[in-house]
Amino acid sequence: MSKLPLKPSRLALVLAPVLVLVAAPLHQLQAEETEEASGDSTLITVTATRNPIPAFDYPGQVSVVEREEIEDFNPSTLQEVFQAIPGAEFDSGPRRTGDAPSIRGIGGNGVLIFQDGARQSFISGHDGRFFIDPELVQTVEVVRGPGSALYGSGALGGVIATRTVSASDLLNEGETTFVKLASGYQSVNDEFRVGATGAAQSSDGMWDVLGYLTYREAASIELGSGDTLPADDEITSSLFKVTLRPSDAVELYASYARYQADSSDPQNPQGANIAGPGNDLVFRDARNDTAQLGLNFNPASDAIDLNLVGYYSKNGVEEDTVGTPRVADREVETFGLMLDNRSRIDFGEGSFVTFTYGGEYYRDEQTGLDTDTADGTRGGVPDATTEFIGAFLQAELTLADGIPGELSIIPGIRWDSFKSSATGEVFTIDDDELSPKLGVSYKPIPELLVFGNWSKGFRAPSFNEAFADGVHFTIPDLSVAPGPFGPTFVQNLFIGNDALVPEESEGWEAGAGVNFVDLITDGDRLTFKASYYDSDVTNLIGLDVNIPAGCFVASPFVPPCGTGADFGNTSQNVNIADAQISGVEAEFSYTSDHFYLRGNFSTIDGVDAATGEFLEGVLSPSVLFVDTGLRFSDGDVRLGTRVTSASAFDEVNDPNQARDGYLVADLYLVIEPDEGPLEGFRLDLGVDNIGDADFEVVSAGVSQPGRNFKAALSWSKGF
C-alpha cells in the first residue's frame, strides 16, 4: 500500500535550512567530546533513595533517562521514551489521550507519578495519566518494585518521576542568556510542532529564570494494518521557573507548568476504539496545572541538607459529546507539603551512614460533573476527598573499612495514615500502614556489584473505588415484551463499599551488575545490571458487576429485573483477588568516543493465586530493546538504529487474546555541530517502523502506528 505521508508545506517549514546543514563540509563539524562519549559520566538517581547516588549502586532496579537520550527519540509523547526502560510500558494504544503507564504489570493507582516532586493523582478509566510534553522533560527516573517505604500509598509497581528543564541545564559557565527555537514534523499522524525556550541568570548566579512554550497539532494515525485511527489533537504546553540563591547555603525556587490538550476522539480513546453507539465522539479538553514552591538549605554541615516543598496540581478532563448538549467533567486537585533532610556521619575511612528522614502531607479532592443527570453528578466519579499524612526514615550504611570491598545496607520504613470521605456518603474509609524495606549490595571489587532487596508496599482504596455512585450502564429488560415505544430499560448502579482495605504487595529481588571503564579504549564504559524479582500482591481491588437473572428471562425462580440495589442490579469495587508476579529485567550500555550500544530486556509471569489463571492486563511478552549507533566528527554527527524484538504472547486465558511476536526497527540521524558557522543548530531525521510492520503491543486487534518519517530542527545559543 503506497503512502504519501509528507505534506510539502509543513516539511518545508521544518527543513528549510536542511540543505545548507547537510552540505556543510564535515571538516567544519569539529567539537569537544561529549560527556557521554568520554565515558566519565555516571547516571545519578535521586528518586530511588531521596539522596543522590549512582543508579548502578542502588540495590534494586532504577532507570534514568537523560535529556540527550530523550532528544534522540525525537518523541511525540513521553510514551516513546519508555522503550528505554525495561519492565515499564503503556497500556493505552496509539492515541496520546489514553496514555496510562504500568510497571512490572501493575498500572492505574498502583504506579506513582511525580512531576518536579508534585504528585499527579488523576486517575480515570480511559483518559490517561501523563499530561506533560516530552520537550519539557530533562530527566525521567523509573524505580521498579514496591516504593511505599519512601513514598507511601500507590507505589505497588513503582515510581515514575519526571524533572522538567531548568535554566541551569541550559546556561553554561559565563553565559547569562539562552534562547532556543525548535520545530518538528512526523508523518504517521501529520503532527507539526513549534516551540521556544528562553533562560537568563545574573552574572553572580544569585538568580535565574526560564520560560518555555510549545505547540503541537496532529491528525488521524496511520496504523501498520493499513487502517487509519481517527484522532485530532492540539496541545499547548508552557513552563516558567525562577530560582533565587541569596547565599551559598540557601536556594529558593518556584515553578509553574501547564498542559492543555484539545482533541476530538471517542469517549474511550484507548485501544483501537472508534466512535459509535456506546462510545460517543467527544471534544476532549485535558488539562494539567502544576505549581511548586521550594526551599533547599544546605550549609557547610554534614547534619543538614534540607528540602521543604509545597505543591499544587490540578488535572482534569472535560468531554463535550458531539451532537448533544451533554458535558461530563472529572477534576482532581492535589495539595501537598513535603519536608525531608539528610544527615551524614563518618566513622572510618570509606565508612559512613546517611540518614534520610522527613514527613509528608497531601490532600486529593475530586469533583465530577454530568449535565445529563438531574443533580449534575457523574456516575463513577464521586465528589470526594482523601487526606494522607506520613513519616519516613531511611539509613544508607556504607562499610569499606576493614572488609574486602564495599558493603552497603539500606533499611527504611514509613508510616502512613489516610482518610477518605465523599459528599452524601454516611461512611468514611480510614486506615494506617507501615511500609518497611531492606536493600543490601556488595562490591568485592569496584567493577562488580551483587545486590538484593525486600520491600512491602500498599495502595489505599481510591475515592472512585470506595464511593462509586451513579449509573454504570443501562440495559433493556428482556424479560418483558417491548412496548409500542420499544423495550423497557433498567440501570445498573454503582454502590460504595466501606469494607474495602488497601491493596498490599510484598516482594524480593536479587541481581548483579558490572561497570567497567577504559575496557577496550580510553574513556569507554560498559555497564550491565540484571535481576530476578518475585512479588505477592494481595487484596487486589476489582469491580464486581451483578445483573439480575430476571433481566434476561421471565421466571418466578430468578430475581426480578429492576434498577439498583433493591434488585441487585449493582456494580461494586471489592477486594477480589491475590496475585503472584515474577520476572527478569536487565539493562546494558556501552559507550565510547565513536560507538554506543544501550538496551534492555524484560519478561514477566503472573497468575491469580486462587485460580491459577493468567493475570489479564498484567502480563506481556518478553521484550528485547537495543539502541546502537556511531559517532562521527567528534560526536557532531550520530547515526543510530533502534530495534525492538518481542516474543509471541500466549499466556492468555482467552486464546483470542494471543498475539504474534514482532521485530520493529527505527533509524535516526542527528547532526549537531559544536563549533563553526552552524554551531547551535541541531537536525534530527528518522524513520520509525521502517518496515511498516503491523504489530500489537496493547492487546490483540490493536495495531500500532505504521511507518513514520520524522524531522526536527532547532537552533539554540547562549550569550
Side-chain angles (χ1 to χ4, degrees), residues 331-367:
E331 187 171 85
V332 176
E333 294 181 273
T334 301
F335 168 79
L337 189 65
M338 164 65 69
L339 174 68
D340 61 19
N341 186 55
R342 281 144 293 279
S343 300
R344 173 169 166 150
I345 301 173
D346 292 298
F347 51 88
E349 185 176 349
S351 298
F352 58 91
V353 61
T354 300
F355 292 101
T356 302
Y357 48 94
E360 180 181 18
Y361 167 83
Y362 64 98
R363 171 189 171 98
D364 293 331
E365 183 173 348
Q366 176 177 266
T367 55

Side-chain angles (χ1 to χ4, degrees), residues 90-321:
F90 279 71
D91 305 323
S92 51
R95 290 191 185 93
R96 84 182 80 229
T97 45
D99 280 354
S102 66
I103 301 176
R104 292 183 174 176
I106 298 177
N109 294 283
V111 174
L112 278 182
I113 298 177
F114 291 93
Q115 179 178 319
D116 284 338
R119 289 177 180 262
Q120 305 297 303
S121 298
F122 182 87
I123 294 289
S124 168
H126 307 296
D127 291 322
R129 294 191 65 194
F130 248 89
F131 301 134
I132 186 171
D133 192 282
E135 289 294 300
L136 272 68
V137 178
Q138 180 68 22
T139 305
V140 179
E141 290 190 49
V142 178
V143 184
R144 300 186 293 284
S148 295
L150 282 176
Y151 296 101
S153 173
L156 286 182
V159 178
I160 299 173
T162 60
R163 181 176 72 84
T164 57
V165 64
S166 298
S168 57
D169 298 315
L170 306 175
L171 290 160
N172 296 320
E173 185 176 354
E175 296 176 347
T176 59
T177 308
F178 174 89
V179 63
K180 178 180 179 180
L181 303 174
S183 63
Y185 176 81
Q186 66 174 30
S187 65
V188 78
N189 61 345
D190 193 26
E191 178 174 298
F192 175 68
R193 70 171 171 89
V194 292
T197 308
Q201 68 177 355
S202 63
S203 57
D204 58 7
M206 291 187 66
W207 61 265
D208 62 51
V209 62
L210 174 138
Y212 176 90
L213 180 67
T214 187
Y215 171 80
R216 297 177 186 265
E217 64 176 44
S220 297
I221 305 165
E222 298 178 12
L223 304 177
S225 63
D227 296 331
T228 298
L229 188 65
D232 185 8
D233 300 336
E234 292 186 19
I235 304 102
T236 303
S237 301
S238 56
L239 173 68
F240 177 77
K241 285 187 175 182
V242 60
T243 304
L244 303 175
R245 303 177 184 88
S247 71
D248 291 340
V250 177
E251 182 176 273
L252 302 167
Y253 53 93
S255 68
Y256 170 71
R258 178 167 177 78
Y259 177 92
Q260 176 77 40
D262 298 317
S263 63
S264 174
D265 40 38
Q267 193 170 50
N268 178 0
Q270 296 181 328
N273 289 329
I274 60 174
N279 194 24
D280 294 331
L281 180 66
V282 299
F283 294 120
R284 178 177 278 104
D285 170 13
R287 55 202 182 274
N288 174 15
D289 294 275
T290 298
Q292 181 190 67
L293 289 172
L295 162 69
N296 175 249
F297 180 54
N298 189 7
S301 168
D302 286 341
I304 301 176
D305 179 5
L306 182 144
N307 287 320
L308 175 62
V309 180
Y311 63 85
Y312 170 79
S313 63
K314 181 169 69 172
N315 294 269
V317 174
E318 180 183 282
E319 299 169 348
D320 297 354
T321 304

